[in-house]
Amino acid sequence: FILPSLHQTAAAIDVMMANDEMPFAEKLRSIMETIGYQIQRVTPVLMRDVSTHAPELWQEIYTHKQRRMRRFGELVDEGVRKGVFRADIPREIILQCYTAAAETLMLPQTLATLPGSGADVFHSMVAIFFEGILHQDVRDDYMERTRERTEQRLSSRSRERHDREGEPHQQVGSPHARRPRLHARCSVAPMDLAEARRLAGIPQEER
């Protein structure tokens, strides 16, 4: 019962993934619903019994899950190419977040502690992953504030990098510290000793 059902689900997902004519939003929804339907047919009690009493079958189920995760990676790649998914978040982080959430939440011992069926848990996870937990108006404000903080952080890093490159920080008195040249080569007037000591970071002598 379990393996034929998993193979049918995998075949259905393959067909949808290969359909380049299907709008991406519809493809995403259909694939997630197909996975949710498969999870609904396999109850947590059944999965717990399989993991305990049929380890070989459980290993085949795990292999199927790994293949499904790879297909999800291909779905993410397609979404990024089509401009549906954000490209500023590394692909590996997206896949690891989804994989970690799916594998943890779908464990029989985890499902036993959560409200609703396995399909309910899966659909809640998908909603959080693709839609978030913030209402639209709050999300817009949150994203705007996040953008501002990111710009400030990048600007601060740029200034720090410019300062480091323009005026290297060196320990005062170090024998390897580079002292400024007191005379320029061409028509630039030589600087006085006090100015040179100031630029080199050497304390002024007390008079």
Side-chain angles (χ1 to χ4, degrees):
F1 164 72
I2 296 178
L3 288 181
S5 178
L6 293 178
H7 293 324
Q8 290 175 3
T9 300
I13 292 175
D14 288 342
V15 170
M16 286 183 279
M17 287 290 297
N19 187 352
D20 294 331
E21 302 299 323
M22 179 183 293
F24 186 81
E26 177 64 19
K27 179 184 294 189
L28 176 64
R29 184 192 62 79
S30 298
I31 291 176
M32 293 298 106
E33 286 187 353
T34 300
I35 297 174
Y37 176 71
Q38 171 61 47
I39 293 174
Q40 188 174 14
R41 297 178 64 188
V42 182
T43 64
V45 175
L46 176 61
M47 295 301 292
R48 183 169 61 249
D49 290 342
V50 169
S51 64
T52 303
H53 303 292
E56 293 183 358
L57 178 57
W58 179 255
Q59 181 59 43
E60 291 193 48
I61 294 174
Y62 178 79
T63 301
H64 169 81
K65 288 182 178 180
Q66 293 298 106
R67 181 179 181 275
R68 193 168 65 196
M69 292 302 176
R70 289 194 296 271
R71 295 298 273 168
F72 179 76
E74 296 172 8
L75 186 67
V76 170
D77 292 338
E78 181 180 346
V80 172
R81 287 196 307 271
K82 294 183 175 180
V84 178
F85 293 153
R86 295 171 54 177
D88 60 321
I89 301 177
R91 173 185 188 271
E92 293 76 14
I93 294 179
I94 296 175
L95 295 182
Q96 287 293 334
C97 288
Y98 178 85
T99 301
E103 290 185 348
T104 301
L105 291 174
M106 293 299 108
L107 287 174
Q109 56 267 36
T110 303
L111 289 173
T113 66
L114 299 175
S117 65
D120 294 333
V121 173
F122 177 78
H123 285 303
S124 295
M125 184 200 74
V126 170
I128 293 172
F129 196 82
F130 291 110
E131 302 171 26
I133 61 174
L134 296 175
H135 285 294
Q136 185 62 46
D137 55 342
V138 179
R139 181 162 60 245
D140 291 342
D141 179 64
Y142 173 82
M143 292 181 66
E144 179 61 28
R145 294 175 184 273
T146 300
R147 249 191 312 270
E148 292 175 356
R149 288 196 297 269
T150 300
E151 292 174 356
Q152 293 172 357
R153 185 168 62 252
L154 292 177
S155 176
S156 176
R157 289 179 180 176
S158 178
R159 288 195 302 269
E160 291 175 358
R161 184 169 58 252
H162 180 271
D163 291 343
R164 287 196 302 270
E165 294 174 353
E167 186 176 347
H169 296 284
Q170 297 169 331
Q171 185 176 356
V172 176
S174 170
H176 302 291
R178 297 179 59 187
R179 302 293 178 84
R181 300 179 64 178
L182 300 185
H183 298 276
R185 289 186 176 179
C186 303
S187 59
V188 180
M191 63 181 69
D192 60 29
L193 181 58
E195 179 66 10
R197 295 177 68 91
R198 185 187 67 80
L199 293 176
I202 302 174
Q204 298 295 327
E205 297 179 353
E206 297 182 359
R207 298 181 178 179

